[in-house]
């Protein structure tokens, strides 16, 4: 098909569900194309999930890690935003339904609804565990932690009130445990001079024999040593069997009194996949062809955390780079089909992994074998996060907050939001 033919064709309507890393990358890749795009999300903002733990531990403001979608699309003439929760998808009639009852037709559908917490059926985990997937989760966790200190200061103290159990020794668990330790030691110790903060316990539980499983063993050991040196009680080979309101039960029957269980143990695909009427794969991920289209539907694609993307014969990790690269590729697939050409298989290019353990400490590993840890790792972690954030205002605010925190050892946004 010639460019003139394409221009004279009616423009297809592409609907993208999810304004996360994948959905935004997809929409942006259509910038100069002859397509109309509608981006649908249940929030009117994009959330920068890698820094949610900093909101939860009062290092950053909620607005620092969120960016209004309409602001992102302002310069795109042909991309629109629709606020709403997708509650049904009809892949035969080619439309979707939003929670306000409105029906939106599409020629192409890109499903980029991300993932959510996986409690692995552990009794009580969904009811009493605090997750960290959305901005609401992050502020709820911050409220909860700070409230524990306020209650303890006013005498309403009991065993376990100041015991914080973090479940899961992946990047999120390590980041939260490290940041909580710093918040307590450097900030809350001064905020609550009458409270004996030596009774505060931060316990990190990991079922396997090391933290940060996907990283090299020496970086895992570095993470354990650093956390322990910062008073985090790291317990390896320690599965959790039950969570209750005021305690947890470990695999060997040990009971730990606690009122705070941060659930950082697992990920499963967003339940939206179940609306597509296809058989889902491991972790609820949507099976796809190499060009990211669904096996059963030529005009539906899945990208990012919700898609069962192949990476060297295994499932690709649920990380931002996979979402971004697959988002761009989804746009290429749609444009190739619209132009009457052949599609190409998606190939994820690993750019490396990073996790921070706290001030001056992070680990980073790159595909060329380069491994960084300590201060250098931390500087590269800071730089990468600043570069990948959206919006000048957010970047400036994050830099300012981090500089303030670093120089003063203080945390500005340690606010408790209450409904009454
Ligand atoms: C705490 C945390 C820390 C992380 N840290 C890192 C890190 O350091 N590095 C890294 O690479 N990755 C990290 N990740 C993973 C990374 O954030 C994800 O891989 C990435 O966000 C996936 O992008 P996505 O576009 O698939 O989904 P998301 O970014 O999750 O976006 C999904 C979007 O879909 C919307 N949505 C969901 N359901 C509906 C519905 N029914 N209707 C309408 N809209 C809907 C959501 O509101 C959301 O905006 C982290 C994740 C978390 C939770």
């Amino acid at each position: 098909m010639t460019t003139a033919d394409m221009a004279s064709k009616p423009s297809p309507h592409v609907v993208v569900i999810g304004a996360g890393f994948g959905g935004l990358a997809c929409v942006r890749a259509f910038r100069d194309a002859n397509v109309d795009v509608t981006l649908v999300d249940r929030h009117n903002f994009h959330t920068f999930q890698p820094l949610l733990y900093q909101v939860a531990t009062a290092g950053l403001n909620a607005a620092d890690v969120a960016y209004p979608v309409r602001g992102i699309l302002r310069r795109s003439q042909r991309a629109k935003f629709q606020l709403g929760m997708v509650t049904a998808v009809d892949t035969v009639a080619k439309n979707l339904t939003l929670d306000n009852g409105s029906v939106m037709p599409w020629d192409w559908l890109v499903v980029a609804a991300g993932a959510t917490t996986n409690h692995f059926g552990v009794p009580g985990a969904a009811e009493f565990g605090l997750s960290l997937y959305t901005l609401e989760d992050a502020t709820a966790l911050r409220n909860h932690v700070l409230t524990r200190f306020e209650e303890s200061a006013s005498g309403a103290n009991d065993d376990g009130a100041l015991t914080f159990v973090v479940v899961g020794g992946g990047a999120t668990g390590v980041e939260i445990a490290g940041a909580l330790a710093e918040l307590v030691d450097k900030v809350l110790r001064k905020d609550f001079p009458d409270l004996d903060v030596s009774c505060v316990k931060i316990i990190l539980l990991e079922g396997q024999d090391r933290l940060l499983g996907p990283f090299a063993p020496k970086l895992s050991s570095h993470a354990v040593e650093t956390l322990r040196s910062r008073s985090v009680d790291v317990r390896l080979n320690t599965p959790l069997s039950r969570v209750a309101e005021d305690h947890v039960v470990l695999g060997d029957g040990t009971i730990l009194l606690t009122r705070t269980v941060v659930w950082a143990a697992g990920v499963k695909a967003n339940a939206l996949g179940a609306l597509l009427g296809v058989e889902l794969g491991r972790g609820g991920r949507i099976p796809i062809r190499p060009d990211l289209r669904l096996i059963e539907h030529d005009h539906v694609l899945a990208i990012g955390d919700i898609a069962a993307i192949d990476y060297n014969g295994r499932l690709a990790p649920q990380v931002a780079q996979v979402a971004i690269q697959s988002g761009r590729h989804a746009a290429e697939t749609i444009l190739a089909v619209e132009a009457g050409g052949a599609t190409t298989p998606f190939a994820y290019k690993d750019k490396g992994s990073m996790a921070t353990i706290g001030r001056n400490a992070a680990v980073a590993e790159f595909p060329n074998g380069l491994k960084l840890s300590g201060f250098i790792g931390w500087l590269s972690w800071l730089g990468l996060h600043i570069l990948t954030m959206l919006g000048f205002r957010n970047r400036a605010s994050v830099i300012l907050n981090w500089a303030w925190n670093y120089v003063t050892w203080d945390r500005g946004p340690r606010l408790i939001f209450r409904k009454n």
Side-chain angles (χ1 to χ4, degrees):
M1 191 181 285
T2 64
T3 315
D5 289 340
M6 270 194 77
S8 62
K9 243 180 99 183
S11 345
H13 181 210
V14 180
V15 172
V16 179
I17 305 174
F21 286 104
L24 283 181
C26 180
V27 171
R28 287 172 153 177
F30 283 120
R31 193 169 293 136
D32 301 316
N34 183 30
V35 294
D36 294 313
V37 183
T38 305
L39 178 58
V40 182
D41 202 290
R42 61 188 172 181
H43 296 122
N44 75 334
F45 52 85
H46 164 80
T47 306
F48 192 82
Q49 287 178 338
L51 291 181
L52 279 178
Y53 82 95
Q54 295 233 347
V55 176
T57 52
L60 290 173
N61 293 297
D64 295 340
V65 305
Y67 200 92
V69 181
R70 287 184 187 276
I72 300 166
L73 301 185
R74 201 176 275 166
R75 286 199 203 94
S76 311
Q77 304 281 326
R78 304 190 55 176
K80 293 190 167 46
F81 175 66
Q82 173 67 55
L83 178 69
M85 177 93 178
V86 176
T87 54
V89 177
D90 187 333
T91 50
V92 178
K94 287 194 179 170
N95 62 44
L96 58 77
T97 308
L98 297 176
D99 52 352
N100 66 2
S102 63
V103 175
M104 180 183 291
W106 44 262
D107 300 306
W108 288 92
L109 182 67
V110 180
V111 182
T116 185
T117 310
N118 192 348
H119 295 103
F120 298 112
V122 172
E127 197 180 349
F128 301 111
L130 294 152
S131 300
L132 191 64
Y133 243 92
T134 62
L135 208 47
E136 292 89 338
D137 291 341
T139 45
L141 180 53
R142 185 183 69 200
N143 287 344
H144 181 93
V145 170
L146 296 177
T147 302
R148 294 283 76 79
F149 278 84
E150 292 295 347
E151 286 178 357
S152 299
S154 63
N157 205 341
D158 59 17
D159 278 350
L162 293 178
T163 297
F164 301 93
V165 174
V166 180
V167 185
T172 301
V174 166
E175 287 172 349
I176 294 246
L180 271 177
E182 209 171 290
L183 175 69
V184 171
D185 189 40
K186 304 299 178 204
V187 184
L188 299 182
R189 182 187 289 280
K190 288 183 254 166
D191 279 0
F192 296 90
D194 299 330
L195 202 64
D196 177 12
V197 294
S198 66
C199 66
V200 175
K201 289 187 194 130
I202 299 165
I203 303 171
L204 176 59
L205 302 179
E206 167 55 46
Q208 305 296 316
D209 59 2
R210 65 189 183 102
L211 300 181
L212 301 174
F215 287 79
K218 81 169 193 184
L219 297 182
S220 299
S221 306
H222 177 74
V224 173
E225 282 157 25
T226 309
L227 286 174
R228 285 186 175 151
S229 73
R230 296 177 185 196
S231 306
V232 176
D233 177 357
V234 180
R235 302 194 189 184
L236 303 174
N237 298 308
T238 309
L240 184 78
S241 63
R242 193 152 57 84
V243 183
E245 191 177 2
D246 57 0
H247 68 273
V248 295
V249 184
L250 306 184
D252 64 1
T254 307
I255 293 176
L256 299 177
L257 297 181
T258 177
R259 296 189 163 271
T260 311
V261 177
V262 184
W263 194 264
V267 175
K268 69 177 176 199
N270 187 293
L272 197 130
L275 302 180
L276 300 172
V278 300
E279 195 170 324
L280 300 174
R282 217 173 64 187
R285 289 163 86 167
I286 303 169
I288 44 170
R289 304 177 216 176
D291 66 6
L292 304 176
R293 287 189 284 173
L294 265 63
I295 294 158
E296 297 87 345
H297 300 294
D298 282 346
H299 288 80
V300 183
L301 297 89
I303 59 173
D305 281 3
I306 201 169
I309 294 174
D310 176 76
Y311 178 50
N312 296 336
R314 293 191 308 178
L315 282 176
Q318 285 160 301
V319 295
Q321 267 306 320
V322 173
I324 292 168
Q325 293 175 29
S326 62
R328 290 182 192 138
H329 195 89
E332 282 172 24
T333 294
I334 293 172
L335 294 175
V337 175
E338 284 293 323
T343 62
T344 54
F346 171 64
Y348 167 55
K349 289 178 197 66
D350 184 6
K351 295 188 174 175
S353 310
M354 289 183 168
T356 176
I357 312 164
R359 169 184 278 249
N360 296 345
V363 292
E365 194 170 344
F366 300 94
N368 64 2
L370 178 67
K371 295 177 187 58
L372 303 175
S373 59
F375 186 63
I376 301 281
W378 187 67
L379 283 184
S380 58
W381 179 91
L382 289 180
L384 181 97
H385 282 74
I386 292 291
L387 283 177
T388 47
M389 290 202 79
L390 282 174
F392 179 75
R393 195 202 66 82
N394 289 42
R395 282 187 197 146
S397 178
V398 168
I399 292 171
L400 197 69
N401 264 300
W402 281 351
W404 176 265
N405 297 350
Y406 195 80
V407 175
T408 64
W409 293 89
D410 198 7
R411 301 278 176 102
R414 46 190 195 285
L415 315 175
I416 300 174
F417 295 149
R418 292 160 64 123
K419 285 200 179 125
N420 48 27

